[in-house]
Amino acid sequence: MEARLLSTFLLLPILLGAAAAAAASTDFVKKSCSTTTYPSLCYSSLSPYAGAINSDPWKLGSYALKVSLSYANKATAAITGQSKSTSLTKAEKAAVEQCEETMADSVDHLKQSVQVMSAIVQARSSGSSSTASATSNLEFQVSNVKTYASAAITDYSTCLDGLEEMKVRAGLKKQIVKWETAVERLTSNALSLVNKLNY
């Protein structure tokens, strides 16, 4: 009994420390998200990764881009499913196929941004970003991340513009707009977090 109590007593500081670290990471995500365009969406999408982010703004940006990419893949699959529907009119099929194409482009752009950002995070964790040349290269890489994310947002706008220009049933338009808007907002939040990085 005494041994068990001693063991619990010795583990208590470790458990409390872990809980405090988890709370700090969650607070960090919440505070960082408060300055984005869609703070509630930002927090709800990134808080599950708070432990892995560990109060690191670079990891936060990286996870934000990964979440955007994940949802973009789901949205693309859903739109692809819609494009195969036999009930679409000619105009609807053209509009949906345009959205399918632009979403595929956005997925490619987000993949590129995720790859570059992941490489940055890895380089920083290994301590290989301390020299002047490394800093210059970092600026170039972050610029690429921003360019790719911005291009993805432009792709979403192209899809939505097409839906407005063509005759598409309200229900179908509403569903596609819902997917597109969610991805656009997630990507906008990710870009906002990347824009705030200091280097």
Side-chain angles (χ1 to χ4, degrees):
M1 182 69 176
E2 291 181 3
R4 185 180 300 172
L5 287 173
L6 179 60
S7 176
T8 302
F9 179 76
L10 293 173
L11 282 173
L12 190 58
I14 298 173
L15 295 173
L16 290 175
S25 296
T26 301
D27 288 344
F28 168 75
V29 172
K30 189 171 186 177
K31 183 177 180 181
S32 299
C33 283
S34 68
T35 61
T36 62
T37 312
Y38 309 99
S40 296
L41 176 63
C42 177
Y43 180 70
S44 65
S45 64
L46 293 175
S47 57
Y49 308 100
I53 292 167
N54 197 26
S55 302
D56 184 331
W58 293 87
K59 288 182 179 179
L60 179 66
S62 182
Y63 271 93
L65 289 167
K66 289 176 182 177
V67 168
S68 297
L69 174 58
S70 176
Y71 201 91
N73 277 319
K74 293 177 183 177
T76 301
I79 293 173
T80 298
Q82 287 284 3
S83 70
K84 294 177 180 178
S85 173
T86 57
S87 65
L88 298 180
T89 65
K90 187 175 180 180
E92 288 173 340
K93 188 170 181 61
V96 174
E97 285 180 346
Q98 176 177 296
C99 285
E100 183 182 8
E101 183 178 333
T102 55
M103 276 302 298
D105 287 342
S106 71
V107 166
D108 287 340
H109 288 133
L110 285 172
K111 281 181 180 177
Q112 290 173 304
S113 68
V114 167
Q115 288 172 355
V116 176
M117 196 66 182
S118 295
I120 292 173
V121 170
Q122 186 174 1
R124 288 179 62 83
S125 64
S126 65
S128 60
S129 58
S130 57
T131 66
S133 61
T135 300
S136 177
N137 184 51
L138 177 61
E139 292 175 354
F140 175 71
Q141 289 178 312
V142 173
S143 176
N144 284 338
V145 171
K146 294 177 182 179
T147 298
Y148 294 139
S150 296
I153 292 174
T154 300
D155 291 327
Y156 310 141
S157 299
T158 301
C159 165
L160 298 180
D161 289 344
L163 290 176
E164 290 300 322
E165 294 169 2
M166 301 179 190
K167 291 183 178 179
V168 179
R169 278 169 290 176
L172 177 60
K173 182 187 292 186
K174 182 179 180 181
Q175 190 61 60
I176 294 176
V177 168
K178 179 181 178 181
W179 294 324
E180 293 279 346
T181 300
V183 182
E184 187 275 333
R185 290 181 177 182
L186 287 168
T187 307
S188 177
N189 282 341
L191 183 58
S192 176
L193 294 171
V194 172
N195 280 331
K196 291 179 175 64
L197 293 171
N198 295 315
Y199 47 91

